[in-house]
Amino acid sequence: MPIVKNVSRAVNQLLQSSGCGCGISVVPVRRIGISPRQVASDASFHSVSFSRSDHPRVLITGGLGQLGVGLAKLLRKRFGKNNVILSDIRKPADNVFYSGPFIYSDILDYKNLREIVVNNRITWLFHYSALLSAVGEANVPLARAVNITGLHNVLDIAAEHNLRLFVPSTIGAFGPTSPRDPTPDLCIQRPRTIYGVSKVHAELMGEYYHYRYGLDFRCLRYPGIISADSQPGGGTTDYAVQIFHDAIKTGKFQCNLKPDTRLPMMYIDDCLKATLEVMEAPAEALSMRTYNISAMSFSPEELAQEVQKHVPELQVTYSVDAVRQAIADSWPMNFDDSNARRDWGWKHDYDLPELVTTMFSFLGSDSRIAQAS
Ligand SMILES: NC(=O)c1ccc[n+]([C@@H]2O[C@H](COP(=O)([O-])OP(=O)(O)OC[C@H]3O[C@@H](n4cnc5c(N)ncnc54)[C@H](O)[C@@H]3O)[C@@H](O)[C@H]2O)c1
Ligand SMILES: C[C@@H](O)[C@H](N)C(=O)O
């Protein structure tokens, strides 16, 4: 139960941290010494032995989706295989299971999640579990549970155990009343999807816990992410991954968005690089706790033209999905990430031509290109 022992002191601290300039002496928020949720511990503490090291001990929730396995690979290279635990409610493929530690974790099970954090001495948590925009609209109660209740569990455990917490947000955290070209970090956010609403909630709750409890919360708003060796989990930007697979397999692609629908996109390597960089950035460098990151922005017709340079016979047709189109029409067209570039040196490596070339070299499209020429 949350117990605020001295409300007026806490209010003063909040006012101070928001820069009200009232002249009240500042007590660091970290010293309040209360945790947002205190539950009597009944976790069975296994005796697990670890070698001492300066590396963070990492847990990734929702790690079997499009982004988690790649993130684990990157973090294991940096911090050592056994210092990075992937978790999910799904069964891992053999190659994932044997590539490093994996554990079952349902983020809706607060005590189980806390036990994992305690028993494995977790210090950094990457919270990837979520229902994305299109699947979220198809199952609002589940999206609300996973994206909002699950986030509350993660925030409380992170605050209680002093974790550094990364929660990704998204271009979907903006809505039709936000400036769309470009969309700055700070502007009106009135998304019209449960996904977007839950992500704005995550940004605000994470920042609130940072200022209120001293939680080391870090958040990036990702564009649509494009990857070759993992499949997207039901979002509005999925077409930009599917086109590569269809170009190679059948030479035909049916796009579910209109040809001129412009959205910010990013190659997965840039996304994961940014995630690690913001987690490693010194706290003093972060003037904000939630940043836009950007790499490129394109429409289906522009992507198709670039893909056709590799697979000239690719035929693209359009059969618009009304739900996805309405979502895309409410999202940013271009993302302003100047704050990330200024504060912690964010710089992307992949523009559209490099992205397309890299996707095809990954997917082994040589035979198709050979057939085409
Ligand atoms: N992929 C993108 O284009 C993109 C863009 C912006 C933001 N993001 C964010 O990045 C994160 C990861 O995205 P992704 O593309 O890998 O998502 P994904 O949909 O591919 O994977 C999400 C994972 O969460 C898991 N999950 C669902 N319910 C769970 C529960 N109760 N407990 C534990 N795990 C559960 C699923 O099994 C799945 O493996 C998400 O938070 C997403 O919102 C992704
Ligand atoms: C943009 C992002 O959050 C996700 N790929 C979606 O389309 O839902």
Side-chain angles (χ1 to χ4, degrees):
M1 288 284 291
I3 302 167
V4 180
K5 287 188 179 153
N6 186 334
V7 173
S8 64
R9 193 176 105 189
V11 169
N12 286 340
Q13 286 164 348
L14 275 175
L15 292 172
Q16 283 294 322
S17 63
S18 62
C20 78
C22 320
I24 301 162
S25 66
V26 181
V27 179
V29 177
R30 265 175 217 287
R31 292 197 197 139
I32 288 177
I34 53 171
S35 70
R37 186 184 333 197
Q38 282 163 355
V39 180
S41 170
D42 64 354
S44 53
F45 293 94
H46 312 300
S47 53
V48 185
S49 60
F50 299 107
S51 59
R52 292 193 55 155
S53 91
D54 291 338
H55 289 318
R57 295 272 305 157
V58 176
L59 177 67
I60 304 171
T61 69
L64 297 185
Q66 185 190 3
L67 306 185
V69 173
L71 180 67
K73 202 169 159 190
L74 179 71
L75 298 180
R76 282 173 182 158
K77 255 190 220 152
R78 175 72 124 246
F79 303 130
K81 181 167 131 176
N82 292 322
N83 286 319
V84 179
I85 302 174
L86 263 179
S87 72
D88 207 299
I89 52 173
R90 295 196 273 156
K91 201 164 147 186
D94 281 358
N95 64 324
V96 174
F97 187 71
Y98 292 111
S99 65
F102 176 84
I103 198 161
Y104 173 88
S105 173
D106 180 346
I107 54 154
L108 296 176
D109 184 343
Y110 176 82
K111 287 209 268 184
N112 170 251
L113 188 59
R114 191 179 51 154
E115 182 173 340
I116 291 168
V117 165
V118 168
N119 286 354
N120 294 288
R121 303 187 308 145
I122 297 301
T123 56
W124 286 17
L125 197 156
F126 294 79
H127 178 46
Y128 269 5
S129 310
L131 259 64
L132 302 194
S133 57
V135 292
E137 289 311 291
N139 193 341
V140 172
L142 184 62
R144 199 179 68 177
V146 173
N147 295 9
I148 298 179
T149 308
L151 172 90
H152 292 169
N153 288 342
V154 166
L155 281 173
D156 284 352
I157 288 166
E160 196 180 336
H161 297 283
N162 242 324
L163 308 185
R164 185 171 295 183
L165 174 65
F166 179 83
V167 179
S169 186
T170 164
I171 50 173
F174 297 94
T177 49
S178 307
R180 295 180 61 217
D181 189 16
T183 305
D185 278 306
L186 297 176
C187 63
I188 192 160
Q189 287 178 268
R190 286 291 181 276
R192 300 237 173 119
T193 60
I194 186 63
Y195 179 59
V197 169
S198 70
K199 289 295 187 178
V200 178
H201 179 72
E203 294 175 7
L204 292 175
M205 286 296 286
E207 291 184 8
Y208 174 73
Y209 270 50
H210 172 66
Y211 294 114
R212 179 69 180 78
Y213 299 115
L215 174 67
D216 193 351
F217 171 81
R218 300 172 186 219
C219 174
L220 296 179
R221 296 192 189 103
Y222 294 162
I225 306 301
I226 298 166
S227 57
D229 56 354
S230 58
Q231 289 294 328
T236 303
T237 58
D238 293 8
Y239 88 86
V241 176
Q242 195 58 41
I243 189 172
F244 292 95
H245 296 277
D246 290 0
I248 289 170
K249 274 191 210 133
T250 63
K252 292 190 175 127
F253 173 64
Q254 191 174 73
C255 185
N256 54 22
L257 294 181
K258 288 183 195 163
D260 60 350
T261 311
R262 177 172 298 281
L263 291 169
M265 300 278 185
M266 181 177 282
Y267 184 55
I268 187 167
D269 286 11
D270 273 339
C271 164
L272 301 179
K273 181 181 79 156
T275 303
L276 180 55
E277 281 176 2
V278 79
M279 282 296 269
E280 290 191 319
E284 319 81 74
L286 304 176
S287 67
M288 312 156 64
R289 288 283 158 166
T290 302
Y291 289 92
N292 292 349
I293 51 165
S294 178
M296 66 191 94
S297 176
F298 56 72
S299 64
E301 62 191 350
E302 287 165 354
L303 176 61
Q305 277 166 18
E306 198 62 40
V307 169
Q308 280 161 340
K309 291 181 184 165
H310 297 254
V311 184
E313 80 278 28
L314 172 68
Q315 292 171 21
V316 181
T317 53
Y318 294 88
S319 171
V320 172
D321 174 306
V323 173
R324 282 181 165 85
Q325 187 64 49
I327 294 173
D329 287 342
S330 74
W331 282 1
M333 294 189 278
N334 279 294
F335 232 18
D336 175 355
D337 64 355
S338 47
N339 289 317
R341 288 175 193 265
R342 183 201 59 221
D343 283 2
W344 45 276
W346 159 241
K347 190 173 171 300
H348 69 279
D349 290 327
Y350 293 83
D351 285 310
L352 181 56
E354 294 84 44
L355 162 84
V356 172
T357 305
T358 307
M359 286 293 286
F360 279 120
S361 63
F362 225 101
L363 294 171
S365 65
D366 294 355
S367 59
R368 193 88 207 163
I369 294 168
Q371 281 170 32
S373 53

